[in-house]
Amino acid sequence: MARERIKIKKIDNVTARQVTFSKRRKGLFKKAEELAVLCDVDVALIMFSATGKLFQFASSSMNAILAKYTLHSSNIERLDQPSLELQLEDSTSVKLREEISQRTNELRRMRGEDIQGLKIEDLQQLEKRLQEGLGRVIGTKSERVMNEITGLQRKGDQLIEENQKLKQKMEMINSKGKAPVVDVAMELENLNDALPEEGQSSESVTNVCSSSNTSAPPPEEDCSDTSLKLGPPFSTAG
């Protein structure tokens, strides 16, 4: 037959209660000893009877186990209580959250949001702050625009100065490059004038050579050579 389960409640009979306490105490101590041996743990049991008598069991030393328990319980209490630094951090974080919430609400109101519940005084103060901010924005914008205009004017003046320098350089280059061309053209023109025309004799060419350079007349050999190169004079028929 299955063993009948006993209802857990206080035993009214003093003798039965004492017998049950004695049996259960021995069984509990035996189970504690088995747990300590099987699992290699420190086990301590302390109990007082109804008459105040002390009963205890310890797998090793009761004092060592109690000292370990006291140290562990004090450490747990320290962990449960936040340190001063943590308390300060918590208070700082609370203040920061409140300030962030306040600034967010002010920003929303400056955007024109959530202003239905504001009083006239609050609306006037908000309007004043907006006007002051708008004035600062306009002043900053005007300063930036003037700085940009000044910078553009400075760049324009630099470009004009560089353009003038380049123009002067080009004029100098052109003036140096045209002088030899003019001299060569004049020499070619003089040479063409010195060449004999059709029906002209070598003597006339010689006269031209001598007359073209009156300051330093060329020697007769040069003129004779020129007449020879140009060809013999035309002979008259007859």
Side-chain angles (χ1 to χ4, degrees):
M1 285 181 69
R3 187 174 180 180
E4 184 180 1
R5 184 179 295 274
I6 300 173
K7 188 176 182 180
I8 303 299
K9 67 176 183 177
K10 182 180 178 181
I11 301 174
D12 295 332
N13 193 343
V14 178
T15 303
R17 185 167 64 238
Q18 185 65 31
V19 172
T20 302
F21 173 72
S22 179
K23 291 181 180 181
R24 297 266 178 147
R25 184 188 75 244
K26 292 178 181 179
L28 185 60
F29 285 174
K30 184 178 180 180
K31 292 292 183 182
E33 184 180 3
E34 292 176 356
L35 180 63
V37 173
L38 293 174
C39 300
D40 191 18
V41 294
D42 292 332
V43 180
L45 291 176
I46 299 173
M47 61 183 68
F48 293 91
S49 65
T51 59
K53 188 177 180 180
L54 173 64
F55 297 92
Q56 64 180 8
F57 168 80
S59 59
S60 57
S61 171
M62 178 61 73
N63 292 329
I65 295 174
L66 290 176
K68 187 184 294 185
Y69 170 76
T70 303
L71 179 62
H72 185 69
S73 61
S74 62
N75 291 332
I76 291 176
E77 290 178 356
R78 289 179 181 177
L79 292 175
D80 292 338
Q81 295 179 356
S83 62
L84 181 60
E85 294 180 357
L86 292 176
Q87 292 178 0
L88 292 175
E89 289 181 358
D90 292 339
S91 62
T92 304
S93 62
V94 170
K95 291 180 181 179
L96 288 175
R97 285 196 295 269
E98 292 177 354
E99 186 175 358
I100 290 171
S101 178
Q102 183 179 0
R103 297 299 181 185
T104 304
N105 292 330
E106 290 179 358
L107 182 60
R108 291 174 61 86
R109 290 173 181 175
M110 292 182 72
R111 291 177 179 175
E113 301 175 359
D114 299 336
I115 58 175
Q116 288 79 11
L118 295 179
K119 298 179 181 180
I120 296 176
E121 293 81 3
D122 297 334
L123 292 173
Q124 290 177 350
Q125 186 176 3
L126 179 61
E127 183 182 6
K128 183 179 179 181
R129 293 178 61 185
L130 289 173
Q131 289 178 353
E132 292 176 354
L134 181 60
R136 288 193 294 270
V137 171
I138 293 174
T140 304
K141 184 187 73 173
S142 301
E143 184 178 358
R144 296 286 178 83
V145 170
M146 292 302 296
N147 291 334
E148 290 182 1
I149 292 173
T150 304
L152 291 174
Q153 289 178 352
R154 189 181 300 111
K155 290 181 179 179
D157 295 337
Q158 292 177 358
L159 291 174
I160 292 172
E161 184 177 358
E162 292 178 358
N163 190 11
Q164 291 178 354
K165 290 180 179 180
L166 291 174
K167 188 176 180 181
Q168 292 176 1
K169 289 181 179 180
M170 291 298 296
E171 290 177 354
M172 292 176 64
I173 292 171
N174 292 332
S175 61
K176 290 180 180 179
K178 286 180 179 180
V181 174
V182 173
D183 295 339
V184 171
M186 292 177 65
E187 290 179 359
L188 290 175
E189 185 177 358
N190 294 330
L191 183 59
N192 290 329
D193 293 338
L195 291 176
E197 296 180 357
E198 186 177 356
Q200 186 177 4
S201 64
S202 59
E203 294 178 356
S204 62
V205 172
T206 305
N207 294 329
V208 169
C209 291
S210 60
S211 62
S212 61
N213 194 356
T214 56
S215 61
E220 296 180 355
E221 294 180 358
D222 294 338
C223 294
S224 61
D225 292 339
T226 305
S227 63
L228 290 175
K229 291 179 182 178
L230 293 176
F234 292 98
S235 61
T236 57

